[in-house]
């Protein structure tokens, strides 16, 4: 019998798996259980588990904008120049030098990662190394862009082993892009010490590696300045590097999509050529960035009262995460007689739990506790009211699992 040939032009479209983080979040939203707990995606929830409130500093900035904003005309392709300058100072500190840095406002940190990856692939290199556990969107972006990737050992057998990590990096060929996170490593929560960063910087310099930082948690790890110290250390040592920056978490403006990219070079002669490439990539992807979020961020960075208020709100959020890390590590340790101090010592929103796939599914299906398939939990979604339920659920699936 003759087979019917579909006339649809979409008949052969391949399905792409759901996003490892947002896909789970969709499952969570559809779950009818009232007591379900979402520890999947990285948002800093309120003490009562509700969605993150808008910072008072952001609200006040918006009120000010409502009164003073005169136009919604296009921004330049690279974005609001003052926003870029202020973000440049915020991230790079004394190394923000307009003649040797190309900066652009981006649609969150993800667009910065994508634009920079496109730029690297088109002009510089198509090989990259990223940590064996990483934010799942990192490999997705490299794959989309066509950058070949390998994983360097970062988190092995429940710990970070610097020597192993360093040995691996030292064997990478010249011009390999090395993706790094300066603080609050997603998903492990384990960062390098400044001394270790220094060694990595010198290695990158010696071996001609290309440092590519994803900085998404400035202010939520150890504090605003400390969280970007690794980037500044690279620059202090004369390295060239690329940086993707996000304000999603630090200003709690997730849905507003406001970030930036920076390309830091040695030679000012390269600047115009780099800038022209970045502008062309932005123009052909989203033309130019949205204005509102950058205007808000600019006020938080420059208005003395709003700046002070924002930093206070940010620090309160950081301290809440620190408390939750401590409490979870203590409670789990006490119940399971396993050392969870790595959670306590960790930094930023996330930690990894060593759970099997079936344990992670049991957490979700039996206990309505959602964590990612890597075993990542978002500490910033824990609070005094849900922590007991989370500990109970973890203890119940933990029985028989390998101690860390
Ligand atoms: C996360 O890692 O959960 C967040 O950065 C949200 C996202 O975009 O995946």
């Amino acid at each position: 019998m003759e087979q019917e040939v579909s006339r649809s032009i979409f008949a052969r479209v391949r399905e792409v798996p759901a996003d490892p983080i947002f896909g789970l979040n969709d499952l969570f939203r559809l779950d009818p259980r009232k007591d379900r707990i979402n520890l999947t995606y990285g948002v800093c929830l309120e003490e009562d588990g509700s969605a993150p409130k808008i910072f008072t500093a952001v609200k006040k900035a918006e009120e000010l904008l409502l009164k003073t904003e005169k136009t919604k005309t296009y921004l330049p392709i690279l974005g609001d120049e003052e926003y870029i300058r202020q973000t440049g100072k915020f991230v790079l500190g004394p190394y923000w030098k307009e003649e040797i840095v190309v900066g652009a406002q981006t649609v969150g940190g993800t667009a910065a990662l994508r634009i920079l990856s496109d730029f690297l692939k088109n002009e510089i290199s198509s090989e990259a190394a990223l940590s064996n556990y990483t934010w799942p969107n990192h490999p997705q972006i490299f794959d989309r862009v066509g950058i070949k990737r390998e994983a360097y050992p970062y988190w092995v057998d429940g710990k970070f082993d610097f020597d192993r990590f360093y040995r691996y990096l030292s064997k990478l060929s010249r011009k390999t892009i090395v993706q790094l996170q300066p603080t609050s490593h997603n998903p492990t929560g384990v960062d390098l010490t400044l001394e270790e960063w220094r060694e990595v910087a010198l290695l990158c310099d010696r071996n001609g590696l290309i440092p590519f930082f994803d900085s998404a948690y400035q202010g939520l790890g150890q504090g605003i300045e400390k969280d970007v110290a690794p980037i500044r250390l690279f620059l202090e040592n004369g390295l060239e590097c690329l940086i993707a920056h996000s304000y999603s978490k630090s200003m709690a403006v997730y849905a507003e999509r406001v970030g930036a990219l920076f390309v830091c070079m040695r030679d000012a002669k390269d600047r115009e050529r780099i800038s022209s490439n970045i502008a062309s990539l932005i123009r052909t992807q989203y033309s130019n960035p949205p204005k509102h979020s950058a205007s808000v961020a600019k006020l938080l960075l420059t208005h003395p009262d709003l700046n002070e208020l924002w930093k206070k709100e940010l620090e309160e959020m950081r301290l809440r995460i620190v408390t939750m890390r401590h409490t979870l590590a203590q409670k789990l340790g006490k119940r399971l007689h396993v050392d969870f101090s790595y959670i306590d010592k960790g930094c930023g929103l996330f930690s990894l739990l060593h759970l099997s796939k079936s344990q992670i599914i049991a957490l979700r299906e039996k206990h309505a506790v959602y964590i990612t398939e890597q075993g990542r939990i978002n500490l910033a979604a824990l609070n005094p009211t849900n922590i007991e339920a989370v500990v109970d659920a973890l203890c119940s699936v933990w029985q028989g699992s390998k101690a860390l």
Side-chain angles (χ1 to χ4, degrees), residues 19 21-22 40-43 110 135-137 186 217 249 257 350 376:
D19 180 78
I21 295 174
F22 274 74
T40 59
Y41 71 169
V43 289
T110 302
W135 182 47
N137 216 15
N186 181 356
Y217 309 100
K249 280 95 178 163
R257 314 307 301 142
F350 307 115
R376 188 191 82 171

Side-chain angles (χ1 to χ4, degrees), residues 325 328-345 352-354 394 398 404:
R325 282 189 171 279
L328 182 69
Q330 282 226 319
K331 284 186 185 290
L332 284 178
K334 223 172 175 173
R335 293 268 296 271
L336 293 166
H337 308 290
V338 173
D339 181 13
F340 284 98
S341 56
Y342 76 96
I343 296 181
D344 201 2
K345 289 190 207 125
L352 275 185
L353 294 172
H354 269 223
L394 285 172
W398 200 273
L404 287 171

Side-chain angles (χ1 to χ4, degrees), residues 85 88-89 92-103 235-236 238 262-266 268 271:
R85 192 170 304 121
K89 287 186 195 161
L92 308 178
Y95 303 100
W96 164 251
K97 295 178 184 150
E98 276 179 63
E99 55 304 350
I100 47 166
V101 180
V102 168
L235 296 171
E236 182 192 325
F262 298 101
V263 183
C264 304
M265 70 211 73
R266 281 198 180 111
R271 196 181 183 289

Side-chain angles (χ1 to χ4, degrees), residues 106-122 135 137-138 140-147 179 212 214 243-244 260-261 278 281-282 285-286:
T106 57
V107 184
T110 302
L113 289 167
R114 175 64 195 250
I115 300 287
L116 289 174
S117 299
D118 275 322
F119 168 62
L120 286 165
K121 169 71 168 62
N122 294 346
W135 182 47
N137 216 15
H138 287 148
Q140 291 184 154
I141 292 172
F142 282 152
D143 291 351
R144 276 276 173 212
V145 168
I147 291 180
Q179 194 155 56
F212 182 4
D214 181 8
I243 302 142
L261 65 78
I278 300 293
L281 287 165
I282 291 175
Q285 293 193 35
Y286 52 83

Side-chain angles (χ1 to χ4, degrees), residues 350-370:
F350 307 115
S351 269
L352 275 185
L353 294 172
H354 269 223
L355 295 170
S356 66
K357 203 169 171 190
S358 58
Q359 287 170 317
I360 292 168
I361 293 172
L363 264 185
R364 185 163 75 229
E365 291 185 350
K366 287 203 197 132
H367 304 278
V369 174
Y370 284 65

